[in-house]
Amino acid sequence: MTTLQGRTAIVSGSGRGIGAAVAHKLAAHGANVVVNDLDEAVARATAAEITAVGGSAVACPGNVTEVGFAQRFVDTAVDSFGGLDIIVNNAGYTWDGVVQKMGDEQWDAILDVHLKAPFQILRAAQPVISAAAKRESAAGNPVTRKVVNISSLAGLYGNAGQANYSAGKAGILGLTKAIAKEWGRYRVTVNAVAFGLIETRLTSSAEDAETIEIEGREITVGVNPMIRQAAQHIAPLGRLGTPEEAAGAVYLLCLPESDYITGEVLACSGGLVG
């Protein structure tokens, strides 16, 4: 299928989990994809997996919060594929704690990755998108581009122990709605997907005590097993989602059929709310 043939996408945090599933999904439908991950080997491996099955992908490893990363990310798309059509702001992680025990570093780190980095990527992309829109308009061949920002049910309803994450994921919704109004003149749709519990290493059982390394910090990730179990009972679909199902929600907002949908938030949670 080639519904996205000729489109170029950048997907942050796409070496693993939901991001990798999004990268594979977009590439499988014809898009050129720039894959990003903190771990260079992981980013390059995912890009290689895509090309091995006939897709088109390159890697742009690095931390999305690093100074200069946003411009490098955008430049990689332009230099490798000649343009930029789809932006998926997906990179992120959790660093939980109740408010009275949460330090400024813990707060800032999560706000930086979930809100500041997407803002910086969109800011870096604006000149490319604006120039392309002007060229296409002058030629009588307008093109609709797509931005999909990743949020969470925590951003819609809050989550105990996640003041930082909930604030970041709520903030990305405000950013989504603001940029939708700013970029409509460029024929860019800007939407968000709010995920519920999707099976990834970040939502594995906390009993497994998995850790991730971010800027030299070892951060424990995972979800309370009682919450995982309860969510499966409460969700109308009765289970957690898969990364491939999560990628499907992002893909819907990248299709031409969604060209008149902008400034919206799509919940992908199996019906789970709150």
Side-chain angles (χ1 to χ4, degrees), residues 56-98:
S56 175
V58 296
C60 181
N63 189 332
V64 295
T65 66
E66 288 176 358
V67 174
F69 172 82
Q71 191 62 58
R72 180 163 63 86
F73 202 20
V74 171
D75 287 346
T76 299
V78 174
D79 294 344
S80 300
F81 302 115
L84 178 58
D85 304 287
I86 299 169
I87 300 170
V88 181
N89 282 309
N90 168 79
Y93 61 99
T94 54
W95 188 2
D96 297 348
V98 291

Side-chain angles (χ1 to χ4, degrees), residues 76-166:
T76 299
V78 174
D79 294 344
S80 300
F81 302 115
L84 178 58
D85 304 287
I86 299 169
I87 300 170
V88 181
N89 282 309
N90 168 79
Y93 61 99
T94 54
W95 188 2
D96 297 348
V98 291
V99 66
Q100 68 270 24
K101 295 182 179 179
M102 184 176 292
D104 289 350
E105 179 188 21
Q106 191 173 356
W107 172 269
D108 290 344
I110 296 302
L111 268 291
D112 282 352
V113 70
H114 289 284
L115 187 54
K116 186 176 181 181
F119 155 72
Q120 291 176 328
I121 290 168
L122 293 172
R123 183 177 62 186
Q126 189 277 340
V128 174
I129 288 172
S130 173
K134 290 175 182 175
R135 288 194 305 270
E136 291 152 2
S137 178
N141 184 33
V143 173
T144 300
R145 291 178 170 81
K146 309 284 186 170
V147 174
V148 183
N149 294 319
I150 303 305
S151 186
S152 164
L153 292 189
L156 292 171
Y157 306 109
N159 199 21
Q162 292 188 323
N164 52 1
Y165 182 73
S166 297

Side-chain angles (χ1 to χ4, degrees), residues 38 63 65 92-95 105 109 113 201 211-219 221:
L38 269 171
N63 189 332
T65 66
Y93 61 99
T94 54
W95 188 2
E105 179 188 21
V113 70
R201 61 180 181 152
T211 62
I212 59 174
E213 183 178 338
I214 307 289
E215 295 182 330
R217 311 183 194 98
E218 288 289 334
I219 298 172
V221 296

Side-chain angles (χ1 to χ4, degrees), residues 14 21 26 35 66 72 77 87 96 126 130 151 158-161 168 177 181 194 197 205 219 234 242 251 264-265:
S14 51
L26 299 182
V35 177
E66 288 176 358
R72 180 163 63 86
I87 300 170
D96 297 348
Q126 189 277 340
S130 173
S151 186
N159 199 21
K177 292 177 183 294
K181 289 180 168 63
L197 283 175
S205 174
I219 298 172
I234 296 169
T242 68
Y251 173 65
E264 298 295 336
V265 182

